[in-house]
Amino acid sequence: MLNLILEIIVEIIISILLHESLHYLIARMLKLNPQVKMHNLIPSITYKNTHEDIKNLLVGAAPLLMVTLIFILPNNKWFVFKVMCFCQIFNILPICADGEVILLSIINLLKKHEKK
């Protein structure tokens, strides 16, 4: 029983670290000077907002790549991790910080496109 609980905790921690790592890597690739901040032992990534909506969209949506892991990992292993990967879909909702960035970026990109 203890092993199962530890396995669940480890899979949740790995999913959080992967989520934030994807934000960090994309922000770094886009030269947005990302930094790791800790809030109640939970890491989060901050980066320089250059008001380039496409960059903000890419950084905000980066963890959606985790959804692909559902199909790559073996069926009989990593169940909790795969559930956490699937939950990244809900992260695009504007009630989440990432979802808010994604929505605002899309709205701004559409406004700029309409002006042309």
Side-chain angles (χ1 to χ4, degrees):
M1 182 68 171
L2 181 61
N3 283 342
L4 178 62
I5 293 171
L6 286 174
E7 185 177 314
I8 290 170
I9 292 170
V10 166
E11 289 182 30
I12 290 171
I13 291 170
I14 290 171
S15 70
I16 293 168
L17 292 175
L18 179 58
H19 175 103
E20 296 304 328
S21 295
L22 287 166
H23 283 308
Y24 184 89
L25 290 172
I26 298 299
R28 186 171 174 142
M29 286 173 41
L30 297 173
K31 297 179 175 36
L32 297 176
N33 302 322
Q35 295 180 340
V36 178
K37 304 285 182 176
M38 296 296 281
H39 301 284
N40 300 322
L41 297 176
I42 298 173
S44 68
I45 303 301
T46 60
Y47 58 93
K48 182 180 177 188
N49 185 353
T50 59
H51 302 285
E52 295 176 74
D53 296 306
I54 193 71
K55 287 184 177 183
N56 290 339
L57 177 62
L58 290 171
V59 173
L64 283 173
L65 293 171
M66 291 173 65
V67 175
T68 60
L69 294 175
I70 297 168
F71 307 104
I72 296 171
L73 293 173
N75 287 337
N76 57 349
K77 302 267 184 181
W78 295 87
F79 178 76
V80 173
F81 180 73
K82 289 201 270 188
V83 169
M84 297 295 288
C85 288
F86 178 77
C87 287
Q88 298 307 308
I89 292 170
F90 299 108
N91 204 38
I92 64 173
L93 298 174
I95 58 172
C96 303
D98 292 344
E100 186 178 333
V101 169
I102 292 167
L103 179 62
L104 290 173
S105 299
I106 290 171
I107 290 171
N108 289 336
L109 287 168
L110 291 173
K111 283 181 183 178
K112 289 175 186 175
H113 182 71
E114 283 180 0
K115 290 180 182 180
K116 289 184 181 181

